Amino acid sequence: MLILAMPSAPRETEGMSELLSRHRAVMPSWLPLYYESPLELVSGSGARVTDSEGRTYLDFFTGIVTNMLGYDVAEVREAVERQIARGVVHTSTLYLIRSQVELAEKIARLSGIPDAKVFFTNSGTEANETALLLATHARGSDEVLAMRGSYHGRSFGTVAVTGNKAWKNSSLSPLNVHYLHGTDHASPAFRGLSEREYVDVCVADLREVLDTAAPDVACLIAEPVQGVGGFAMPPDGLYAAYKEVLDEHGILFVSDEVQTAWGRTGTSFFGIGNHGVTPDAMTFAKGLGNGFAVGGVVARGDLMDGLTALGVATFGGNPVSMAAAGATLDYVLEHDLQGNALRQGATVVQGLRELRELPCVKDVRSKGLMFAVEMVDPETGAPSAPLAGRVLEAARERGLLVGKGGVHGNVLRMAPPLTLSAEEAAEGRDILLDAVHAVAADRA
Ligand SMILES: Cc1ncc(COP(=O)(O)O)c(C=O)c1O
């Protein structure tokens, strides 16, 4: 029998350009890669990662806001190794999983949602699908409110509630979606308004939508800070004002905490806490497993139990992801990483504020260890994705990995590990300052 030899990865001697060609040949064209010359990250420790050519970087993007404790954290590694050593990486939820029950108890308690129950999934997309199913089923309606500029995932239902054209392949939708204002204070229509006036206008618009366009809404789904949207954030208190109106109509509120949970915003354990709101459901993923695939929904018990058909996510809440997630959450709580996010976030953003003086920087904003620099064309003031791309490259050349986002792709966004030290915060801030100044002066 003829056995065809397939190339096996990784091939130590293979150059980046060859790997890139192989990637392009077999991976989808719509799966974006960062950098003109893309990176292969092969090892990591703490807040640093090393590429296949031996260069080390300080990581301020953590695998898209996911390696929440940084790399090679002994507590997480050992918890996973202990589980694997037992010989069981999967059993399914047809059987009791002790670590799953224990983690659900902790998340339910931390959520502040009354009589909360938890369902574990494998991703944020799947978590949001579940929340949308719970809400539309409970309310017997396919009408959903979402925010302009939002991102909630890549499945049919979550694309339907995504308000960011760059990530929306289809306008075909299983839901009837109405988009609300709240993260567009800087747009020409609203920029003259004070924060209070802007909130009032947003609330009036919500009332108008409910009175005239959307008779029977199931829920509002919203990110407290829009992740892919470039860390765009509504004024604190907007969602409390929205919730008052929603409550008048019995409309449910789902907070998508995929990027904002576990203390990242510094001032609250879940991002929505910054608005003084307890939602009916919260979705989570990314950081909880510190890189292991885990997501989920925590919801009011009656809402969770409202589904009438059976449900299962085969891999959701499997013993390995539960070991990783349990150890990660314990680490966050035992080391008060929410407090650290507040302290180190302040160090970084205080330094970055000077960038606002530059004609190519429109805004510098932050919440805890989520911060963003918004780039514009210095001549026209229009959003400039190319300038953001140049800063991304300039930061990499100087040894710092950052991310990009925004509805116009012109926002640099940073979400370092919550374990970031004061020295690392200062180092990353200084590299970023240098990179932006170099691009502003056309030196990069
Ligand atoms: C706020 C938010 N919700 C949902 C998702 C989807 O999560 P996943 O990529 O794990 O499906 C993301 C991913 O970036 C996100 O940022």
Side-chain angles (χ1 to χ4, degrees):
M1 185 173 49
L2 176 69
I3 299 177
L4 292 175
M6 301 296 285
S8 60
R11 288 192 291 175
E12 297 292 335
T13 53
E14 180 178 64
M16 267 308 99
S17 59
E18 195 195 332
L19 183 59
L20 182 57
S21 321
R22 286 172 57 198
H23 175 103
R24 292 205 166 120
V26 291
M27 309 300 285
S29 57
W30 41 261
L31 193 64
L33 278 168
Y34 271 176
Y35 304 114
E36 267 172 45
S37 170
L39 274 175
E40 183 192 16
L41 301 175
V42 293
S43 63
S45 175
R48 290 179 205 271
V49 278
T50 302
D51 71 15
S52 52
E53 287 164 357
R55 203 162 167 221
T56 293
Y57 304 85
L58 185 59
D59 188 358
F60 268 25
F61 204 41
T62 52
I64 323 183
V65 200
T66 295
N67 299 314
M68 180 163 78
L69 307 181
Y71 298 84
D72 198 23
V73 178
E75 286 82 345
V76 180
R77 180 172 24 83
E78 285 163 12
V80 169
E81 282 170 355
R82 274 196 301 277
Q83 182 59 43
I84 291 174
R86 283 190 200 122
V88 173
V89 297
H90 175 73
T91 60
S92 91
T93 44
L94 297 177
Y95 309 101
L96 288 167
I97 301 175
R98 185 173 299 273
S99 52
Q100 193 180 86
V101 174
E102 286 169 358
L103 185 61
E105 285 169 347
K106 277 184 204 160
I107 292 173
R109 180 175 51 77
L110 289 163
S111 74
I113 296 175
D115 303 318
K117 289 195 167 189
V118 181
F119 177 70
F120 289 107
T121 65
N122 303 289
S123 68
T125 295
E126 208 191 329
N128 283 329
E129 281 289 338
T130 309
L132 290 167
L133 183 66
L134 294 180
T136 52
H137 189 272
R139 298 270 299 153
S141 160
D142 63 357
E143 280 191 326
V144 173
L145 304 171
M147 303 296 291
R148 293 174 180 216
S150 60
Y151 179 84
H152 294 292
R154 55 163 299 280
S155 63
F156 202 44
T158 55
V159 165
V161 290
T162 287
N164 182 338
K165 200 165 88 174
W167 295 90
K168 209 169 164 74
N169 268 300
S170 174
S171 60
L172 298 173
S173 171
L175 301 163
N176 261 305
V177 183
H178 306 271
Y179 288 99
L180 302 183
H181 296 287
T183 53
D184 51 1
H185 192 176
S187 75
F190 305 123
R191 81 167 64 109
L193 302 179
S194 71
E195 213 158 79
R196 185 65 254 166
E197 288 166 337
Y198 175 63
V199 170
D200 288 347
V201 166
C202 292
V203 171
D205 179 67
L206 168 61
R207 286 194 184 282
E208 184 76 6
V209 168
L210 295 177
D211 287 348
T212 61
D216 188 22
V217 171
C219 69
L220 165 65
I221 182 165
E223 302 156 88
V225 176
Q226 290 181 341
V228 176
F231 293 172
M233 37 191 108
D236 283 353
L238 176 91
Y239 288 122
Y242 273 179
K243 180 109 179 29
E244 265 184 53
V245 180
L246 301 180
D247 285 347
E248 290 168 18
H249 297 258
I251 297 169
L252 300 166
F253 184 49
V254 178
S255 182
D256 178 342
E257 297 279 346
V258 166
Q259 298 214 9
T260 47
W262 325 119
R264 177 159 293 279
T265 63
T267 39
S268 175
F269 197 66
F270 291 97
I272 199 64
N274 293 302
H275 292 258
V277 169
T278 304
D280 299 287
M282 292 193 280
T283 58
F284 54 84
K286 289 202 186 282
L288 181 61
N290 203 45
F292 285 85
V294 56
V297 187
V298 52
R300 270 179 15 218
D302 60 321
L303 187 57
M304 187 70 88
D305 288 343
L307 296 183
T308 43
L310 301 174
V312 66
T314 298
F315 290 119
N318 70 75
V320 175
S321 69
M322 291 296 97
T328 303
L329 185 55
D330 286 349
Y331 194 104
V332 167
L333 296 170
E334 282 160 18
H335 294 80
D336 183 24
L337 294 190
Q338 180 184 329
N340 194 52
L342 190 62
R343 284 188 300 278
Q344 306 317 334
T347 303
V348 179
V349 83
Q350 276 159 21
L352 293 184
R353 282 211 184 99
E354 69 170 63
L355 293 174
R356 286 183 179 148
E357 306 295 319
L358 297 172
C360 63
V361 173
K362 180 175 173 192
D363 194 19
V364 174
R365 52 180 173 265
S366 74
K367 263 226 180 328
L369 277 175
M370 299 180 97
F371 39 91
V373 177
E374 190 168 343
M375 304 298 294
V376 289
D377 183 305
E379 307 289 315
T380 64
S384 177
L387 277 187
R390 284 174 60 195
V391 176
L392 194 89
E393 297 279 355
R396 172 200 173 167
E397 278 159 29
R398 289 161 176 75
L400 180 72
L401 301 185
V402 301
K404 262 193 313 183
V407 283
H408 302 290
N410 66 319
V411 180
L412 296 150
R413 58 184 180 124
M414 281 66 64
L418 301 184
T419 47
L420 198 73
S421 69
E423 295 71 32
E424 289 160 344
E427 183 187 335
R429 173 200 64 201
D430 292 347
I431 295 177
L432 197 59
L433 284 173
D434 190 39
V436 179
H437 279 296
V439 168
D442 218 7
R443 284 188 283 109

